[in-house]
Amino acid sequence: MATSAPSKITDWVDPKDKSGEFKRQQSVFRNFISREPGAEFPPEKGRYHLYVSYACPWAHRTLITRKLKGLEDFISFTSVHWHMGEHGWRFPTPDEKLPGENTTPDPLHSDFTHLRQIYFSNDPDYAGRFTVPTLYDKKTKKIVSNESSEIIRMFYYEFDDLLPEPYKSLDLYPATLRPQIDESNEWIYNDVNNGVYKSGFATTQEAYEKAVTTLFSSLDRIEKHLAQQAAVSPFFFGTQVTEADIRLFTTIVRFDPVYVQHFKCNIRDIRSGYPAIHRWLRALYWDIPAFGETTQFEHIKFHYTKSHKQINQFAITPVGPVPDILPKDQEVNAVTVAR
Ligand SMILES: N[C@@H](CCC(=O)N[C@@H](CS)C(=O)NCC(=O)O)C(=O)O
């Protein structure tokens, strides 16, 4: 079960790895909530708890899906504090007032101060990373999963027998679109979702340039796709929101506020360089509460800029861009003038 952990939690790139490339570890807990008879983790109202960070794009996927599927009364959640230090994520203290709902101490373990204690209570020998999202079973006191791509898929269908319409029939991974979604997941994960981290955590010029140029050629490809797709719907594929929207949104909404400057993803930004992506982003953010209401820019901006001391020694958070996200009917001046 254990994977090897680096000596320091902040050693995003193994100092012994001369390539300077960020290599993300595999998630360790890979169980599934399932409505199959006899399943170890059956769908039950109130049984599961999600530990997330509002800052984290992977955890953000699970918050969006939970809300889209109407699972708010079924799955409770807590967001950790945005600061990640030497001991990893910590819970807010009772006197800290942070934006966003459920930014509280751990409601399930009053003596726990850090997320890592959930991992150790589950497996005292755990040697992997202490990541969010973490899906926890209150009944057996076990971690079900710490892999966001699998947690969201459990949420798509496994609670459907307990859900009213229209949530029950909302299909976020429709059979007809699966080949397209799977194909795009592959390169968008490698080049974009994880690509921003590969760019920002690189410790050699070569590793950085390789990641950032790959990232931007994939953004160019997405831009072309979304410009054509705009004739059909505001969504990435087909005429309804799907997994493709959820997985791309959490990276793109962080792009201008954080990744452009903090992760040096600055060949272009979204608001002035990618009109179709910008339109798609704002339609999701402003028109669908599951996207807008789960986005907490203060957590997002503070987390990256004040936790990654190897990138930003004095932990100063840049003020801009202002605003974090533009209204749908407003553009940056350069775009308005060009029109
Ligand atoms: N594969 C995981 C990745 C999750 C992940 O890396 N989360 C980050 C926050 S954005 C984390 O908790 N990192 C803590 C660490 O690596 O120590 C998933 O998609 O669920």
Side-chain angles (χ1 to χ4, degrees), residues 87-288:
H87 298 289
W89 296 109
R90 70 169 178 84
F91 295 106
T93 56
D95 54 315
E96 279 175 317
K97 292 281 165 280
L98 298 174
E101 57 173 339
N102 300 336
T103 44
T104 62
D106 181 358
L108 305 179
H109 314 89
S110 56
D111 54 330
F112 283 7
T113 55
H114 287 76
L115 182 74
R116 60 165 54 198
Q117 290 166 287
I118 309 281
Y119 280 79
F120 287 135
S121 71
N122 198 103
D123 173 7
D125 298 325
Y126 180 73
R129 300 197 71 98
F130 314 104
T131 54
V132 287
T134 311
L135 181 64
Y136 181 79
D137 177 13
K138 300 178 204 173
K139 200 166 193 171
T140 62
K141 303 193 186 330
K142 285 185 183 168
I143 294 175
V144 181
S145 173
N146 69 339
E147 175 48 49
S148 63
S149 60
E150 293 170 358
I151 296 172
I152 58 177
R153 292 213 174 160
M154 300 173 208
F155 291 180
Y156 296 168
Y157 305 113
E158 301 308 323
F159 290 85
D160 281 358
D161 295 337
L162 310 175
L163 289 175
E165 294 294 353
Y167 299 116
K168 188 194 191 72
S169 53
L170 176 69
D171 190 350
L172 295 165
Y173 185 50
T176 50
L177 294 175
R178 282 183 195 184
Q180 284 162 274
I181 294 175
D182 290 344
E183 194 269 338
S184 70
N185 280 349
E186 177 71 17
W187 59 271
I188 292 179
Y189 170 78
N190 284 316
D191 303 352
V192 181
N193 306 132
N194 204 26
V196 293
Y197 284 88
K198 290 183 197 165
S199 169
F201 284 157
T203 57
T204 61
Q205 184 71 28
E206 292 71 29
Y208 160 68
E209 284 188 21
K210 186 167 116 189
V212 83
T213 50
T214 306
L215 163 65
F216 277 87
S217 41
S218 287
L219 287 175
D220 293 347
R221 184 174 166 191
I222 292 170
E223 173 69 14
K224 211 181 261 175
H225 166 74
L226 285 176
Q228 288 166 355
Q229 173 66 14
V232 179
S233 87
F235 304 111
F236 200 93
F237 288 127
T239 54
Q240 283 193 353
V241 63
T242 65
E243 173 168 293
D245 297 289
I246 298 167
R247 291 180 45 136
L248 183 61
F249 175 86
T250 67
T251 298
I252 300 299
V253 80
R254 286 161 175 74
F255 205 89
D256 288 2
V258 173
Y259 300 147
V260 170
Q261 63 79 24
H262 183 72
F263 278 171
K264 306 182 189 76
C265 301
N266 64 350
I267 294 179
R268 282 178 283 288
D269 64 5
I270 301 297
R271 62 191 65 194
S272 55
Y274 289 108
I277 301 179
H278 194 208
R279 199 179 319 112
W280 164 87
L281 168 74
R282 288 180 294 171
L284 295 176
Y285 180 89
W286 293 110
D287 296 343
I288 305 180

Side-chain angles (χ1 to χ4, degrees), residues 9 12 24-25 27 56-58 61 84 89 129-133 146-149 197 303-304:
I9 211 159
W12 300 104
R24 187 175 291 280
Q25 278 187 16
S27 303
C56 168
W58 317 103
R61 295 171 165 183
M84 188 167 64
W89 296 109
R129 300 197 71 98
F130 314 104
T131 54
V132 287
N146 69 339
E147 175 48 49
S148 63
S149 60
Y197 284 88
H303 162 64
Y304 288 93

